[in-house]
Amino acid sequence: MNPEASVVDNVIDTVSAVFLVLGALMSLAAAVGLLRFPDLLSRMHAATKPQVLGLFLLLAAIGLQLRTWWVWPVLLVAWIFQLLTVPVSAHMVGRAGYRTKHLHRELLSSDELDAVVQQAARSARDESSRDEASDGGRRD
C-alpha cells in the first residue's frame, strides 16, 4: 500500500468530515431560526441564507467522499438550482406576507414598498371610479 495515498485519503476524509459537520450545523441554524424568530421576514431570512451555504458544504463533502469526477457536475447543478430557486421562493413568500399583512411593521427599519403599494391602490381605485362613471353606474 502506498503511504502517500493513505495520507491523501486521510486529508480528504478529514476535510469531508469538517464539511459535513459545518453543513449540518448551518442547516440546524436554519431550522432553529425558523422556529425561534418572531415574524415572517426574519424567518424567511433564516430559511434561505444558511441553508444554501449548508447545502453547498454537504454537497462538497459528498463529492469528496465519492472520489469520482463525474459526480461533481451533478452536484454543481443541484447547488446552482438551489441558488436560483431559493431567492425566488423567498421573494414570493415575502411578497405574499407583505400583501396579506403577516408581518410586524414595527420591526421594519424602513418600508420602501409602502409608497409603491399605496400608489398602486390609488391607481386601481381611480381606474375603478372611471369605469363606473363611463358605465353610468350600471353593473352587468
Side-chain angles (χ1 to χ4, degrees), residues 29-41:
V32 169
L34 279 173
L35 293 174
R36 299 289 301 179
F37 283 165
D39 68 330
L40 174 76
L41 296 178

Side-chain angles (χ1 to χ4, degrees), residues 91 95 98-99 101 105 110-125:
H91 174 78
R95 184 178 173 144
Y98 188 90
R99 288 177 181 247
K101 310 223 185 308
R105 291 197 184 270
S110 66
D111 189 1
E112 297 172 358
L113 191 57
D114 188 44
V116 174
V117 170
Q118 296 299 331
Q119 182 180 2
R122 278 193 303 273
S123 296
R125 198 172 37 240

Side-chain angles (χ1 to χ4, degrees), residues 120-133:
R122 278 193 303 273
S123 296
R125 198 172 37 240
D126 292 345
E127 185 176 318
S128 173
S129 64
R130 270 185 289 168
D131 287 344
E132 286 180 8

Side-chain angles (χ1 to χ4, degrees), residues 76-89:
L76 183 66
V77 167
W79 188 59
I80 288 174
F81 184 72
Q82 281 290 80
L83 278 177
L84 294 175
T85 58
V86 166
V88 172
S89 64

Side-chain angles (χ1 to χ4, degrees), residues 8-36:
V8 171
D9 284 343
N10 287 338
V11 169
I12 289 175
D13 287 342
T14 303
V15 170
S16 178
V18 168
F19 281 1
L20 279 173
V21 169
L22 289 176
L25 287 175
M26 293 298 285
S27 296
L28 178 66
V32 169
L34 279 173
L35 293 174
R36 299 289 301 179

